[in-house]
Amino acid sequence: MNPLLSRLQPYPFERLKQLFAGVTPNPEFPAISLGIGEPKHATPAFIKEALSASLGALAAYPATAGDLKLRTAFTDWLRTRYSLSLDPATQVLPVNGSREALFSLAQTVIDPTVSPPPVVISPNPFYQIYEGAALLSGAEPYYVPSVPARNFAVDWDSVPEAVWARTQLVFVCSPGNPTGAVMALDEWKKLFALSDRHGFVIAADECYSEIYFRDEPPLSGLEASVQLGRPDFRNLIALTSLSKRSNVPGLRSGFVAGDAAIIKKFLLYRTYHGSAMSGTVGAASIAAWGDEAHVVENRAKYRAKFAAVTPLLEPVLDVRLPDASFYLWAGVPEVWAGDDEAFARALYAQYNVTVLPGSYLARDTDHSANPGRGRIRMALVAETAECVEAAERIVRFVKDGR
């Protein structure tokens, strides 16, 4: 067996299952889960119709690169959303959701033969695929903490020069999971300068880009690259997905875009990896990327939901409206002494509400304590009434005292 598999840590939801083992929640309350970030809004009918209308495509092997019509759907959306002009032949590729692409991109760009071992930088807290991708590519993860006082901006300045010198890949997540923070242009400028100096690739995870609460939509890494005089997107790959944007997590559809030289190598890897997108999924994806009305409607639902829930929780938890995404990243009351696991377990037992301990989404390191400790992540993915009911139970739980 691959010895690197032994370095993988249990996934947060497996840890949550273990945390709740032996607990029987209060039967007076129906179960409400805010634990998993799986969209629950209805899938638009036109996407399902496009899927069913294209079942004939199942009779043929799909091309790894996707057909030109599919890739043009990606570049058309990038032009509409960000006013960007990319070549559909060389600067975009279809992927089976951003998760598999985040993982396989690391296998493509990391050179594990160098000594000392290469470094992959990740924000802390983070999406655990970043860590697994780093470990199974033969690299060493380096976790950079987010700073609550700076709206959870990643503290890139805390990374030593010796670490940057070994870095081959940097994962960024904007809007962030779990914090909802959006990277500003000056942060991108800093990362691009470091990439130019050290040659590392930047993987920009942007799967939450269409769920936001401010007037100005989140800045894309591609958009920042052009604004900063880098129209070739050198050493930059952006990844996005339909799962959150269009409420189709089971479709497993997204795309990557950016540096044509990296895209070329990534296509070579993917040809052997066997990760071509089904033509049936491709047809549904073309329909989804070509329509913005359902995205606007979806965003309005999240805005209404967060407007109803956040004010309920603000008096009892350290929480505020995020820039974007569908998570609330809340600090537990001081009486819990930073024990997010105990808070989550007791809340589940007493009120049958599931939240995810923040410490499960971050790591202790030799240069910083676990920045998720003392916080919980709440995924407001269910309908508004259910999320409001969950918030009301949390308020009662906190007011009950420990």
Side-chain angles (χ1 to χ4, degrees):
M1 293 296 173
N2 185 340
L4 296 175
L5 289 169
S6 64
R7 302 187 63 190
L8 298 179
Q9 298 204 32
Y11 215 61
F13 307 115
E14 179 60 31
R15 296 178 66 184
L16 188 66
K17 181 180 178 181
Q18 295 171 4
L19 178 68
F20 289 171
V23 177
T24 301
N26 189 335
E28 294 182 12
F29 299 98
I32 298 178
S33 178
L34 308 180
I36 299 179
E38 179 180 70
K40 297 297 184 183
H41 296 170
T43 299
F46 78 91
I47 298 178
K48 293 188 284 187
E49 291 165 2
L51 185 72
S52 62
S54 59
L55 293 178
L58 295 175
Y61 285 117
T64 304
D67 63 32
L68 184 60
K69 186 176 179 181
L70 176 62
R71 297 195 305 271
T72 301
F74 304 153
T75 55
D76 285 349
W77 181 78
L78 290 168
R79 182 178 296 105
T80 300
R81 173 65 169 82
Y82 300 113
S83 299
L84 298 173
S85 180
L86 279 79
D87 183 350
T90 62
Q91 292 183 300
V92 292
L93 281 178
V95 297
N96 296 315
S98 55
R99 176 173 176 160
E100 71 90 354
L102 287 162
F103 182 85
S104 57
L105 180 66
Q107 317 309 305
T108 302
V109 305
I110 295 298
D111 176 4
T113 66
V114 300
S115 182
V119 167
V120 171
I121 286 181
S122 165
N124 197 19
F126 58 92
Y127 180 42
Q128 194 158 316
I129 296 303
Y130 307 157
E131 179 183 71
L135 292 171
L136 289 178
S137 69
E140 295 291 339
Y142 186 93
Y143 309 98
V144 189
S146 299
V147 183
R150 293 173 46 216
N151 191 31
F152 301 105
V154 179
D155 188 10
W156 304 113
D157 291 334
S158 69
V159 180
E161 184 67 17
V163 173
W164 286 122
R166 293 172 51 199
T167 298
Q168 294 188 9
L169 177 63
V170 173
F171 285 113
V172 301
C173 188
S174 178
N177 172 10
T179 68
V182 172
M183 282 181 56
L185 187 63
D186 61 343
E187 287 185 76
W188 283 110
K189 183 176 182 179
K190 182 177 299 184
L191 274 186
F192 289 149
L194 287 163
S195 174
D196 288 344
R197 189 184 315 155
H198 299 290
F200 59 74
V201 173
I202 301 170
D205 181 355
E206 300 179 351
C207 68
Y208 297 95
S209 67
E210 303 313 290
I211 302 172
Y212 54 89
F213 307 100
R214 316 299 183 197
D215 292 334
E216 184 178 354
L219 179 72
S220 167
L222 299 172
E223 194 178 15
S225 187
V226 170
Q227 290 181 18
L228 293 169
R230 304 165 61 88
D232 59 351
F233 311 114
R234 60 186 177 276
N235 280 335
L236 173 65
I237 295 292
L239 307 95
T240 192
S241 162
L242 288 172
S243 296
K244 283 78 175 176
R245 174 189 181 272
S246 299
N247 298 311
V248 286
L251 195 65
R252 310 313 302 136
S253 176
F255 70 86
V256 299
D259 187 328
I262 298 175
I263 292 287
K264 183 178 181 180
K265 294 293 187 181
F266 197 28
L267 174 59
L268 173 63
Y269 176 92
R270 297 178 68 76
T271 301
Y272 282 83
H273 187 57
S275 51
M277 178 184 290
S278 161
T280 301
V281 171
S285 303
I286 290 169
W289 288 114
D291 181 82
E292 286 298 316
H294 77 286
V295 181
V296 173
E297 180 182 352
N298 190 48
R299 185 160 52 242
K301 288 182 178 179
Y302 280 112
R303 287 182 167 184
K305 189 184 312 184
F306 274 72
V309 171
T310 309
L312 293 175
L313 295 175
E314 284 176 330
V316 298
L317 299 176
D318 175 18
V319 66
R320 61 182 180 272
L321 185 71
D323 292 335
S325 82
F326 51 46
Y327 301 114
L328 287 176
W329 183 235
V332 303
E334 291 184 4
V335 68
W336 290 89
D339 194 340
D340 49 296
E341 285 187 304
F343 181 95
R345 196 170 194 267
L347 174 63
Y348 175 68
Q350 296 176 34
Y351 284 96
N352 209 356
V353 174
T354 299
V355 297
L356 190 66
S359 58
Y360 291 3
L361 298 167
R363 298 285 181 260
D364 284 295
T365 71
D366 57 7
H367 54 274
S368 68
N370 186 317
R373 187 168 292 117
R375 307 196 79 89
I376 55 171
R377 192 190 76 176
M378 294 173 280
L380 302 191
V381 291
E383 294 299 331
T384 299
E386 188 172 355
C387 290
V388 168
E389 169 65 20
E392 290 173 344
R393 293 188 204 175
I394 292 170
V395 171
R396 289 170 61 185
F397 171 71
V398 173
K399 289 184 176 179
D400 289 345
R402 184 165 185 176

